[in-house]
Amino acid sequence: MIGMDKIREAAEEIGGIVHRTPVLTSMRLNELAGNEVYLKGEHLQKTGTFKIRGASNKVLKAVRGGASHVVAASSGNHGQAVAYIAGKSGIQATIVVPEDASPVKISAIEAYGGRVVRCGLTSAERIPEALRIAKESGGVFVPPYDDPDIIAGQGTTGMEIISQVPGCEAVFVPVGGGGLAAGIVCAIKQLNPDILVIGVEPEMADDTKRSLEAGTRVAIGPSGTIADGLRTSIPGELTFPILQKHLDLLITVSEKEIAEACTILFQASKQVVEPSGAVSVAGLLSGKSGIAGRKTVAVLSGGNVSPQGFSEILKA
């Protein structure tokens, strides 16, 4: 577990960079979920996702250590965050993305000044390529999730939830590589171990579910889930043991459930949330957790989706 001292240190480090994102409510969502629901709006965060928290914590430390170039592997959101904070710090950023990366996310990386390199379809392909580029260029590799500074940065989300939603009883959080879920579970279980932390993963990218069932990290092949930010092929070496020990429950949701969650969030709360960010609400609404009548938080982890892409989701 990442200690609260490290998470509080991260909060101090990134305090001048990130937003303290709002918590939103919706009477309609309460009715549909059968819970008192609070939405943690990380889709309103700088660069459009929670990723700026961990990226800023890691990159700012690297800059103080003399780094002039950072390299990341990302399906899009982490890359945007790294490119953003690198640009603000006056250093170069190279982002290795999958061949099928979202055009809107590629455009954002380039707009922040990042150089884009395409490689493969899975994290198992792009991470080694990013490590190779970092080694050859003398740059610092900024992992998407498997790093103590990244996890601590994401854990600041959990700190905010505790202070913003007094009496919170359960938190639903998206699971991809596990950085956000690990950070949140570390913060929440140390601040209030009675709060349930429930991970939600797409059925089509269920590497964490399979790994928890097997008791060890299990790799899967490329995924075509609409939740493109959660298309990891294997849980992280650091994040998986944290989730394995401290996550109360992990549930999976279908593509239909994810699309319906995006639609409900738009209709009931007027929020544009990307599929990866809406899986938490999909999990909550699915009823698979058995949670009812609780004061519940769903983390909306991102909002980076093109108008065309979002329109297609609403039609689904």
Side-chain angles (χ1 to χ4, degrees), residues 55-119:
S56 293
N57 194 38
K58 182 71 174 180
V59 172
L60 291 173
K61 289 183 177 182
V63 170
R64 282 207 306 276
S68 60
H69 179 208
V70 289
V71 184
S74 170
S75 60
N77 286 334
H78 176 60
Q80 291 179 60
V82 171
Y84 174 87
I85 191 61
K88 289 292 183 183
S89 302
I91 64 173
Q92 294 180 317
T94 299
I95 314 299
V96 181
V97 304
E99 297 286 351
D100 61 350
S102 163
V104 69
K105 295 180 180 181
I106 296 295
S107 295
I109 290 170
E110 293 175 336
Y112 292 135
R115 180 175 75 95
V116 171
V117 174
R118 296 178 185 269
C119 178

Side-chain angles (χ1 to χ4, degrees), residues 30-48:
N30 291 351
E31 294 170 1
L32 291 170
N35 288 277
E36 184 180 345
V37 181
Y38 296 82
L39 304 171
K40 178 58 171 166
E42 286 297 291
H43 64 303
L44 303 174
Q45 183 59 265
K46 282 187 180 176
T47 72

Side-chain angles (χ1 to χ4, degrees), residues 36-212:
E36 184 180 345
V37 181
Y38 296 82
L39 304 171
K40 178 58 171 166
E42 286 297 291
H43 64 303
L44 303 174
Q45 183 59 265
K46 282 187 180 176
T47 72
T49 74
F50 72 95
K51 289 286 191 178
I52 192 65
R53 296 176 182 268
S56 293
N57 194 38
K58 182 71 174 180
V59 172
L60 291 173
K61 289 183 177 182
V63 170
R64 282 207 306 276
S68 60
H69 179 208
V70 289
V71 184
S74 170
S75 60
N77 286 334
H78 176 60
Q80 291 179 60
V82 171
Y84 174 87
I85 191 61
K88 289 292 183 183
S89 302
I91 64 173
Q92 294 180 317
T94 299
I95 314 299
V96 181
V97 304
E99 297 286 351
D100 61 350
S102 163
V104 69
K105 295 180 180 181
I106 296 295
S107 295
I109 290 170
E110 293 175 336
Y112 292 135
R115 180 175 75 95
V116 171
V117 174
R118 296 178 185 269
C119 178
L121 295 173
T122 69
S123 56
E125 295 170 291
R126 59 184 176 269
I127 289 176
E129 177 65 9
L131 286 167
R132 183 192 67 77
I133 292 172
K135 183 177 181 180
E136 291 184 357
S137 67
V140 173
F141 177 60
V142 182
Y145 44 82
D146 226 8
D147 181 273
D149 290 330
I150 296 290
I151 297 170
Q154 319 307 24
T156 62
T157 313
M159 286 180 61
E160 291 181 14
I161 288 171
I162 292 287
S163 66
Q164 290 175 306
V165 189
C168 172
E169 297 174 277
V171 177
F172 286 73
V173 58
V175 177
L180 178 63
I184 286 177
V185 81
C186 283
I188 285 179
K189 290 301 184 181
Q190 290 177 89
L191 294 171
N192 187 344
D194 292 332
I195 297 174
L196 299 175
V197 182
I198 299 161
V200 188
E201 189 175 48
E203 289 177 357
M204 289 181 63
D206 63 345
D207 52 303
T208 297
K209 178 178 181 289
R210 296 190 197 189
S211 298
L212 290 172

